[in-house]
Amino acid sequence: TPVVQRLVSSSPTSPAEPLQIQSAGYLPGFNEVFAFPYSLSRTQMLAATRGIAHNDFAQNLKYVAALGGAPTHLQLIQVVLHSDVKQVATINEIRVVKRCSAPFTGTELWNPAQAGIDNISMGFNLDSAVPYAQFVNPGNQFYGNYFAKKSIQFAPGESSTLAIYVLTTRQSCQFTFNLCVDYGARQYVEHVRNDGKPFAVSAGLS
């Protein structure tokens, strides 16, 4: 079971919201490599690795973020969704909202990856001018246009998990997701954030 941050909707029990975001967060053990925009001192290095030492990925991310760092290269974000309404709700598009700059050039910390996860998987290449959801093959390579071929439907009372891969090899980025949901004759946008803040990722150090 991955460590995730609980998200609170502005009106979680409102029948107007066809999907509830139960949780969203980085998947621990997938790729625990972190980059920083500057060289860490010994004291900062110890602070940044406290979570690794205690095998606490969520806490480690807090230490890394406090020092201005971010996970690197390819990350996997897990989003758990639940439908608590009486009609089918359909996700017909997911948009990533990004803000990118030059990649970090300071210190890189490695904590080797262990395993991935198999759910509803898609990938976003943040190095693309307009990143869109793509399919992901077993080698974690992106291809095609996911929502040009598929949609994701939720029956009443159904829960499902999205495994969203994000990739950058040239930049450092902060990003969120917008889930475009059709429900009856209406369309809603669900905003996915990391405990109210943007997610972050950086290219690895060369």
Side-chain angles (χ1 to χ4, degrees):
T1 302
V3 178
V4 293
Q5 290 82 31
R6 298 292 297 177
L7 297 185
V8 180
S9 172
S10 57
S11 54
T13 60
S14 169
E17 298 292 338
L19 293 179
Q20 296 177 18
I21 303 171
Q22 296 188 320
S23 61
Y26 299 94
L27 184 74
F30 174 72
N31 183 19
E32 297 184 24
V33 181
F34 307 99
F36 297 83
Y38 54 90
S39 297
L40 299 183
S41 67
R42 183 176 182 277
T43 300
Q44 290 170 327
M45 186 82 74
L46 291 172
T49 56
R50 273 184 291 180
I52 294 176
H54 294 91
N55 199 28
D56 187 337
F57 183 77
Q59 193 66 24
N60 192 65
L61 278 174
K62 293 181 180 179
Y63 297 141
V64 169
L67 291 167
T72 68
H73 187 56
L74 180 69
Q75 285 297 317
L76 178 53
I77 293 166
Q78 183 169 282
V79 181
V80 180
L81 302 168
H82 177 73
S83 172
D84 196 23
V85 288
K86 296 180 180 180
Q87 300 181 47
V88 171
T90 302
I91 300 176
N92 58 35
E93 186 178 4
I94 297 177
R95 301 169 184 159
V96 63
V97 182
K98 63 172 183 171
R99 187 175 76 243
C100 299
S101 57
F104 295 159
T105 59
T107 299
E108 189 169 83
L109 296 177
W110 289 68
N111 190 33
Q114 298 170 4
I117 193 166
D118 184 20
N119 287 302
I120 300 173
S121 299
M122 66 192 68
F124 288 88
N125 183 352
L126 300 186
D127 293 335
S128 297
V130 182
Y132 54 89
Q134 296 185 274
F135 296 96
V136 182
N137 69 18
N140 293 333
Q141 295 176 315
F142 301 171
Y143 66 97
N145 186 328
Y146 189 96
F147 287 103
K149 300 284 188 180
K150 303 181 72 172
S151 61
I152 304 169
Q153 291 191 334
F154 288 76
E158 184 179 6
S159 296
S160 193
T161 300
L162 307 181
I164 304 177
Y165 295 78
V166 290
L167 170 70
T168 178
T169 61
R170 303 197 302 262
Q171 308 176 95
S172 61
C173 300
Q174 293 186 338
F175 59 95
T176 60
F177 298 102
N178 291 340
L179 278 56
C180 301
V181 183
D182 284 335
Y183 180 63
R186 300 181 181 180
Q187 185 174 80
Y188 297 84
V189 177
E190 297 284 353
H191 304 286
V192 181
R193 300 181 177 89
N194 181 28
D195 198 21
K197 300 177 181 178
F199 295 95
V201 66
S202 174
L205 275 60
S206 59

